Structures are given as C-alpha cells and as structure tokens.
Amino acid sequence: MNLSDLPPLRESLEAHGLLAKKSLGQHFLLDLNITRKIARLSGVGPDDLVIEVGPGPGGLTRALLEAGVQVIAVEKDPRFLPLLQELSEAAGGRLRVELADAMEVDEADLTGGRPAAVVSNLPYNVGTPLLVKWLTGPFTPTSMTLMFQKEVAQRIVAPPGASAYGRLAVLAQAAARCELVMDAPARAFTPPPKVDSAVVRLVPRDDRPPAELMDALQTLTQAAFGQRRKMLRSSLKALGGEALCAGAGIDAARRAETLSVAEFLTLAQARLALR
Ligand code: SAM
C-alpha cells in the first residue's frame, strides 16, 4: 500500500476502534487539507528529519510523509501503534515510532545527533513545558511548527505592553524568531476542544542566549511577571532589586511588561555578573 491508498483517517480510527482520551489531550486533526497546510507552513522538505510529538491517528504524520520527510514520531499512547505501523509501511519505512513520553526523551539520542525540525499538534497539557524544553536546550530543533491553544500562541508572539506579554514571550523571542502562522478553530478537531487553537512557527536565532543566560532569564521573568503590577525594584527584590536594575541601566521604577526582550537579556547578564 502507498500513502495515497490509505483509507480516510476517520475510517482508520473506526477500524481500530479508537476513541480520544481526554487525559492525554487528544483532539485529532482528521482533515488532510489542514494537516497538509501545517506541513507546508513548516517549510520542511525531502530528506529533512522531523520529530513529531503525539502523532495519534497520524493525520499530520501523513502530510509530513507526503512532503517527503523522514519522521520520528514520539507517542505516549500505545493504542495508536498498529495504525502507525500501517502508515510506516505505506511510507516505505520513512516513519519511525517511539513509544515514549516526549517530556522524558533525549532528542539527540533519537536522531543520532542529526539536525531535526519539530512539527506537532501538541497535547495541551504539555505544550508549554515542551516548548521551554526545546528553547532552553540542550537539543535545539532547526525549526518548530507547533499547534497550541490560541491563548498560548498569543502569549508566545506578544509584544511588550500587550496583556499577553509575559514570561513565555520573553523566553521564546529571546531564543527564536516567532510567528503566528495559522488559526485553527475548535471545530477543526475531533472531538472539538473548548477553545480555538493556532500554529506558531519558531526559528531558533543563530545568536540565541547560551544556557546559563536562558536560566537567568527564566528566573528573572518568573519573578518579574509573578508580580507584574509591581515596580522592578520590588518584584526583583530577592534577585538584587535596585542594584540589579542599576547594573543593567534600567529604571527600577518600571514594570515588567514595559521591558523589551533585549532589556530582559541585559538584566539577565547583570544578574549573572552579580553572582
Ligand atoms: N497529531 C495528532 C493529530 O493532529 O490528530 C494528535 C494530536 S493530539 C492533540 C495529542 C497527541 O499527543 C495524542 O496522540 C496523545 O496521545 C499524545 N500525547 C499526549 N501526551 C504526550 C506525551 N507526554 N508524549 C508524547 N505524546 C503525548
């Protein structure tokens, strides 16, 4: 069987008697027009290596395989293995499936050290921690094309001053160029979730901060946005407060949401210098 001979995804799910499990954030994309669009937006092509987290019934996996890429899919739910095995055979072995928790896997081990992009319709419950894992390393994908709840997608791309601007925006934008590239209404999924979703494409910057600076940025943004209405001298008190801001040349009377990503990086550098 070839990829083009596979039955529609809905039929595959029925044939294997598979129903979505809420506890694993299972909301499936069964419309290949949508998954093909995501594959196209990801920019991956023949001979690229892609890690897909949570292939589930394999709608996005099919689209990626049609684009000619080699896929390593990490799935936690063993119920999907027989269906994904069929897909792997139809793709001439370009799909390898690992039964594992994506939070636990060592991506460099999976890929044998080969560069790889990540493309995924992420499970809601682990979407943000997975993104932070890939932003902070040690494994850095060549690009990430990721479906999130729309509210999370907006928090990733938010500019300073916006109500959605916070820890996630600073971490993501410090490490990568981030763009919201597609909206996906709740009705695009089976079963439909309670909220809309959106796809964000992130391309790691060549000059992204080293691990130590990303760590300092995590600590700072947690404190600063944990008390976002307060002035930095107070929200950052435990991390050096007034002296820290002075070291970075930043007015301690400002609030977190007014600082640019570059200013947060300056603060993080000052924090490292203080230690
Ligand atoms: N990619 C499929 C699609 O678009 O139809 C399924 C997406 S569904 C939102 C999320 C998938 O991630 C499910 O297949 C679920 O079993 C899987 N999953 C949930 N938590 C996971 C984890 N920690 N590691 C790997 N896969 C996980």
Side-chain angles (χ1 to χ4, degrees):
M1 201 189 285
N2 291 319
L3 282 174
S4 53
D5 303 326
L6 287 166
L9 285 155
R10 222 171 268 283
E11 277 179 30
S12 299
L13 273 176
E14 274 167 24
H16 289 268
L18 291 167
L19 292 175
K21 266 192 194 167
K22 213 172 170 184
S23 62
L24 286 173
Q26 292 179 349
H27 299 281
F28 306 132
L29 288 169
L30 302 181
D31 180 345
L32 283 172
N33 291 316
I34 296 180
T35 60
R36 284 180 184 135
K37 184 170 175 190
I38 299 171
R40 208 167 46 245
L41 287 168
S42 76
V44 296
D47 301 328
D48 284 339
L49 180 60
V50 170
I51 297 177
E52 185 195 357
V53 169
L60 182 53
T61 326
R62 276 194 203 189
L64 289 166
L65 292 167
E66 283 175 2
V69 306
Q70 201 179 324
V71 180
I72 301 175
V74 181
E75 175 58 64
K76 197 174 167 184
D77 186 345
R79 298 179 307 148
F80 292 109
L81 293 184
L83 202 156
L84 292 167
Q85 181 56 32
E86 281 171 18
L87 188 52
S88 178
E89 281 159 21
R94 278 187 294 115
L95 166 64
R96 192 175 107 213
V97 183
E98 296 284 335
L99 183 63
D101 182 333
M103 283 302 295
E104 309 288 326
V105 296
D106 176 335
E107 292 85 352
D109 246 14
L110 276 189
T111 63
R114 236 182 101 185
V118 176
V119 182
S120 173
N121 172 16
L122 289 171
Y124 285 162
N125 45 349
V126 285
T128 307
L130 277 172
L131 174 62
V132 172
K133 180 185 181 199
W134 296 320
L135 287 171
T136 49
F139 170 77
T140 306
T142 49
S143 67
M144 294 166 259
T145 308
L146 307 171
M147 178 83 78
F148 292 96
Q149 294 180 54
K150 188 157 184 184
E151 183 228 317
V152 176
Q154 284 167 336
R155 282 203 271 130
I156 295 169
V157 302
S163 59
Y165 185 65
R167 176 173 171 258
L168 199 53
V170 176
L171 290 180
Q173 294 171 32
R177 283 185 288 114
C178 312
E179 195 186 350
L180 197 157
V181 290
M182 180 182 147
D183 283 315
R187 65 173 183 281
F189 301 84
T190 306
K194 288 203 176 68
V195 293
D196 290 337
S197 295
V199 177
V200 180
R201 184 159 190 271
L202 303 99
V203 180
R205 297 180 184 282
D206 291 336
D207 62 347
R208 64 186 168 276
E212 199 188 19
L213 200 53
M214 284 302 280
D215 279 351
L217 205 54
Q218 290 219 55
T219 312
L220 270 173
T221 50
Q222 211 153 8
F225 288 104
Q227 297 179 292
R228 61 189 294 144
R229 302 264 160 254
K230 294 204 170 158
M231 292 180 194
L232 295 172
R233 70 163 57 90
S234 152
S235 60
L236 297 182
K237 196 165 189 168
L239 302 173
E242 197 90 47
L244 175 69
C245 292
I250 287 169
D251 181 354
R254 289 173 65 186
R255 293 178 174 80
E257 63 206 17
T258 70
L259 260 62
S260 67
V261 174
E263 286 175 316
F264 267 110
L265 278 168
T266 311
L267 262 182
Q269 258 145 358
R271 165 94 184 125
L272 288 182
L274 268 188
R275 285 199 308 201

